[in-house]
């Protein structure tokens, strides 16, 4: 059996009373075997967001994850040839992708509209735990001193201070999203470490390319001191 399809065999024995098959057909007095595709956790998360417009709106407020913005706007591919599936986008024109074939939870890659791209989680659940839990996760990468975790912690401290001053309701929105999607939101230092580990694992298999060439790393070269408000 093709493992990528993640199917399970379900054997239903005939009984005196009719029974309902997974396909919705009535079966009585007949032995049969049905193939039922296992729904992954990531697929369940996407389905929950699609079915709940209120949840989708809160998710947008927290981390700008919008399922209606899944088109990257240009032909792109991974260096390894692994399949890509655009699933969401953000306000700036960035796109979130699932990497690999369906049927199992897949790594998530984010590509900005400015030519940076990289992994942000080993699965959609892992990626959302990071992007929901961190204040302005993208700026944590942008002001990272080219991937210095200590610098990222300093940046996150500034971003958290700004968030508490300007958007104190965000923590309540985080709780709403985490409960609805079954996410576990850790402390900011832990989430930063997970984001750093994911982005650092981008090369060599998950380097994004387009007709214009390779995308740059998600780790920006800037230090927090570049932002005048943080000095």
């Amino acid at each position: 059996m093709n493992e990528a399809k993640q199917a399970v065999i379900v054997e239903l024995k005939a009984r005196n009373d009719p029974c309902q098959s997974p396909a919705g057909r009535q079966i009585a007095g007949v032995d049969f075997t049905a193939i039922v595709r296992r729904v992954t956790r990531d697929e369940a998360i996407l389905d929950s967001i699609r079915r709940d417009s209120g949840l989708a709106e809160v998710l947008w407020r927290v981390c700008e994850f919008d399922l209606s913005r899944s088109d990257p706007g240009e032909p792109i591919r991974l260096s390894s040839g692994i399949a890509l599936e655009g699933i969401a986008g953000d306000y700036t024109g960035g796109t979130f992708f699932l990497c690999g074939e369906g049927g199992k939870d897949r790594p998530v890659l984010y590509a900005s509209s400015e030519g940076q791209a990289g992994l942000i989680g080993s699965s959609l659940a892992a990626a959302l735990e990071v992007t929901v839990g961190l204040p302005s996760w993208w700026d944590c990468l942008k002001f990272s001193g080219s991937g210095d975790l200590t610098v990222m912690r300093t940046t996150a401290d500034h971003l958290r201070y700004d968030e508490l001053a300007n958007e104190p309701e965000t923590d309540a929105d985080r709780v709403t999203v985490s409960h609805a999607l079954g996410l576990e939101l850790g402390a900011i230092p832990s989430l930063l470490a997970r984001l750093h580990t994911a982005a650092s694992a981008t090369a060599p298999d998950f380097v994004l390319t387009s007709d214009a060439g390779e995308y740059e790393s998600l780790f920006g070269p800037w230090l927090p001191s570049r932002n005048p408000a943080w000095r």
Side-chain angles (χ1 to χ4, degrees), residues 4-152:
K5 293 182 179 179
Q6 293 287 298
V8 294
I9 302 296
V10 179
E11 295 185 356
L12 298 180
K13 288 291 186 178
R15 299 184 184 272
N16 293 330
D17 296 328
C19 62
Q20 187 79 14
S21 78
R25 295 174 297 172
Q26 294 293 326
I27 297 176
V30 178
D31 289 343
F32 78 101
T33 301
I35 305 297
V36 180
R37 185 179 182 279
R38 181 182 299 130
V39 176
T40 69
R41 184 184 179 196
D42 287 353
E43 290 170 333
I45 287 174
L46 290 173
D47 186 57
S48 295
I49 299 169
R50 293 186 186 104
R51 290 187 288 104
D52 189 336
S53 60
L55 172 61
E57 182 178 348
V58 176
L59 188 59
W60 168 257
R61 288 202 303 266
V62 173
C63 62
E64 294 186 0
F65 185 87
D66 183 356
L67 298 185
S68 70
R69 298 170 180 258
S70 59
D71 183 1
E74 65 174 342
I76 45 88
R77 59 195 176 276
L78 289 177
S79 53
S80 59
I82 295 172
L84 281 173
E85 178 187 354
I87 56 169
D90 62 18
Y91 179 77
T92 65
T95 308
F96 298 87
F97 298 90
L98 293 177
C99 304
E101 300 297 333
K104 58 184 177 181
D105 292 338
R106 294 174 279 170
V108 175
L109 180 138
Y110 174 79
S112 79
S113 60
E114 299 177 350
Q116 298 85 30
L119 295 176
I120 60 172
S122 59
S123 66
L124 179 57
L128 286 177
E129 286 174 352
V130 166
T131 58
V132 170
L134 286 175
S136 191
W137 66 275
W138 169 244
D139 282 333
C140 291
L141 292 165
K142 184 177 180 181
F143 293 90
S144 70
S146 298
D148 188 317
L149 184 54
T150 300
V151 174
M152 291 175 68

Side-chain angles (χ1 to χ4, degrees), residues 116 166 175:
Q116 298 85 30
N166 302 316
V175 171

Side-chain angles (χ1 to χ4, degrees), residues 23 73 80-81 88-89 107 191 209 213:
S80 59
L191 295 175
T209 63

